[in-house]
Amino acid sequence: MRNSFDIVIIGGGLVGLSLARSLAGSGLALALIEPRPSAPPPTGVNWESRVYALSPGSAALLQSCGAWQRLPPERIARVERMRVFGDDPGARIEFSAYDAGLRELAFIIENNRLHHALREAVREQELRMHCPAGWSTLEFHESHAAIGLEDGTALTARLVVGADGAESRVRKHAGIAVRAADYRQLGVVANFSCEKSHDDTAFQWFMRDGVLALLPLPGRRASMVWSIAEERGRRLLALPEPALADEVEAASGGVLGALQVITSARGFPLKLQRVTHFTRPRLALVGDAAHNVHPLAGQGVNLGFRDARALSKVLGERGPQGDCGDYALLRRYERARREDVLAMQAATDGLQKLFNNDAVLLSRVRNLGLTLVDRLPWLKSFLVHHAVA
Ligand SMILES: Cc1cc2nc3c(=O)[nH]c(=O)nc-3n(C[C@H](O)[C@H](O)[C@H](O)COP(=O)(O)OP(=O)(O)OC[C@H]3O[C@@H](n4cnc5c(N)ncnc54)[C@H](O)[C@@H]3O)c2cc1C
């Protein structure tokens, strides 16, 4: 059995799988290591509380990966409008796909459906899947990297890709430093059935103690992401479901009428992570292993898909005899991604700080900012076109 590969991807989450798919047909020998076995999503009407707002650019990547076509269309919601409210009455901004000349601003899709679609697509390509499997040793040499699996299998690769999420062991192993800032917030997620139609609109409220988003799901359903101070988040998680629904209904001003919980709440700790390097000789990081952002803009996995797209493009341009772990090549990937990632980290962190602040002057500035942007069509158009990439 072959144990030497061009690329070994460590981590089979959405970003690792999308990279594997983007490299199908490249002629590169690929392997992927993932500890968690994959299970098909449950049949029936269960809705997963972990959903993603995917940009049209991400949807196009998933289409080219052969994953989008595998998603059940009745589980995909299109976002045609977005209404964002500040914490002053009247401070609001509205984005519309129609005004921006787009068909939609985003798609909302459940994590388990998307993961399954990507796994099924990957099954069709030449790739050695080690799953469930873990690794115990990882050494970087001049000409290759050596990976020892927990079952004793030894693999070599010209390039290792760390796609193993925010707590990346690959990153730690390679000695890449991280600057982390704990937001001391939880991202509380849950799904609701709603009395009123959402009309394909995503709603977001920037409040003094957090950001509440209600994203449309197919039918009269909505998915909540409430980024909120840890203590209040824990209280929300402990509430009986009818009380949680009442609290969300009140916080959202009843825009969707009476709510009923259809998927129990879960909480995720939120932090910002900046890495010093995306690459080392024979190593590239992608997805949350390379950057972690506040979910208020719903951009984490979109950034990760753009990493996958950029890395596969750079690898595809390396020439017939090119070494895919060549550091100069990997630096091109890093340069291609730095600006987008830094801009998103700055924007999400800046917004989080601007609103998570009691100063009266800041309150005026942020609410005035929303109203002003709403009145500047060119700026709105610029923001929309950046967000859908
Ligand atoms: C509340 C919340 C809401 C969000 N909403 C959005 C949104 O609407 N839109 C959006 O774009 N983003 C959103 N995000 C961000 C998004 O969840 C992440 O950016 C995305 O999941 C990162 O994908 P990934 O594949 O890089 O990492 P992960 O999803 O963390 O996958 C990492 C994979 O690596 C595997 N792994 C872990 N350790 C090892 C190991 N030692 N060896 C091998 N494999 C390993 C794991 O099992 C996993 O399969 C949200 C985040 C939160 C917290």
Side-chain angles (χ1 to χ4, degrees), residues 10-16 33-36 50-53 135 163-166 169 187 189 225 268 270 286-289 295 298-302:
I10 302 186
L14 298 178
V15 177
I33 304 166
E34 166 59 43
R36 282 188 297 187
R50 192 64 191 264
V51 307
Y52 297 110
W135 59 274
D164 51 345
R169 261 181 70 210
V189 298
V225 184
F268 298 89
L270 304 182
V286 292
D288 276 19
Q299 284 295 329
V301 83
N302 288 300

Side-chain angles (χ1 to χ4, degrees), residues 106-251:
F107 298 92
I108 310 296
I109 183 80
E110 296 151 284
N111 172 58
N112 55 7
R113 308 271 155 190
L114 187 53
H115 192 265
H116 183 65
L118 273 165
R119 270 296 283 252
E120 288 296 299
V122 163
R123 252 184 241 284
E124 284 186 350
Q125 75 188 85
E126 284 274 322
L127 173 142
R128 167 93 65 77
M129 178 67 79
H130 289 274
C131 178
W135 59 274
S136 46
T137 59
L138 175 59
E139 288 164 11
F140 294 97
H141 303 282
E142 200 182 322
S143 61
H144 68 281
I147 306 122
L149 300 189
E150 281 164 356
D151 67 2
T153 309
L155 307 179
T156 63
R158 285 174 176 277
L159 170 65
V160 168
V161 177
D164 51 345
E167 303 307 319
S168 173
R169 261 181 70 210
V170 172
R171 186 183 66 215
K172 281 179 205 140
H173 218 80
I176 296 180
V178 184
R179 276 179 295 138
D182 189 343
Y183 286 119
R184 298 185 186 286
Q185 285 187 329
L186 286 182
V188 178
V189 298
N191 295 335
F192 299 90
S193 64
C194 327
E195 184 190 8
K196 295 185 192 164
S197 165
H198 47 59
D199 204 17
D200 303 320
T201 306
F203 298 91
Q204 197 170 32
W205 292 265
F206 282 84
M207 301 181 277
R208 274 187 186 81
D209 62 348
V211 184
L212 169 64
L214 287 178
L215 308 173
L217 287 178
R220 286 202 176 180
R221 302 182 188 91
S223 188
M224 171 185 84
V225 184
W226 198 345
S227 310
I228 196 159
E230 268 166 351
E231 203 185 307
R232 184 150 178 228
R234 273 193 291 273
R235 267 190 278 131
L236 283 180
L237 289 169
L239 285 177
E241 290 182 347
L244 174 67
D246 287 348
E247 190 138 347
V248 176
E249 192 185 322

